[in-house]
Amino acid sequence: MLFQIFDAFKSRLHDSNSKVTQVALETMHRMIPLLKDHLAPVINMVIPAIVDNNLNSKNPGIYAAATNVLQALCQHLDNSLLLQPFCTKAQFLNGKAKQDLTEKLA
């Protein structure tokens, strides 16, 4: 069930409408403290959806929402769950996104 929900939700994190993307990121930020480590099965699906495009967004609202989501993940999930997906994404990012994710890894 969790996979089905987040599979549908993931596409909102890549929506062509920036307002939809921003609201999806803000919603994700509110869900993380509630779901905590229950997100473990979908974390490899969720992190790329959060990071791709959103961390390098020129839209300040989307960028801020994406960084808030990453902060919430680091705060509420076991860091061992985040290590592999963060490392994988950091290898292939560039610009500000690579810097932000590398800082989270450190």
Side-chain angles (χ1 to χ4, degrees):
M1 179 63 119
L2 197 62
F3 280 106
Q4 292 168 331
I5 292 168
F6 278 94
D7 195 41
F9 186 75
K10 179 179 71 168
S11 62
R12 300 292 62 88
L13 295 167
H14 290 292
D15 202 278
S16 60
N17 184 328
S18 62
K19 291 179 183 177
V20 172
T21 301
Q22 186 172 343
V23 169
L25 286 165
E26 291 167 353
T27 302
M28 184 74 190
H29 182 251
R30 288 192 301 270
M31 288 189 314
I32 292 167
L34 301 173
L35 295 174
K36 295 185 182 182
D37 289 332
H38 295 291
L39 286 171
V42 296
I43 203 70
N44 288 324
M45 173 192 339
V46 170
I47 288 177
I50 294 164
V51 172
D52 293 346
N53 302 323
N54 299 324
L55 268 187
N56 272 331
S57 178
K58 293 185 185 347
N59 181 320
I62 290 175
Y63 174 77
T67 56
N68 287 341
V69 169
L70 288 179
Q71 183 62 37
L73 286 169
C74 292
Q75 188 176 10
H76 295 284
L77 271 72
D78 182 352
N79 288 337
S80 66
L81 294 173
L82 302 173
L83 184 61
Q84 184 61 45
F86 278 13
C87 286
T88 302
K89 286 311 298 178
Q91 287 178 333
F92 301 105
L93 291 172
N94 56 32
K96 183 81 171 131
K98 185 174 193 117
Q99 179 183 345
D100 288 344
L101 210 52
T102 303
E103 287 174 9
K104 292 293 179 204
L105 279 166

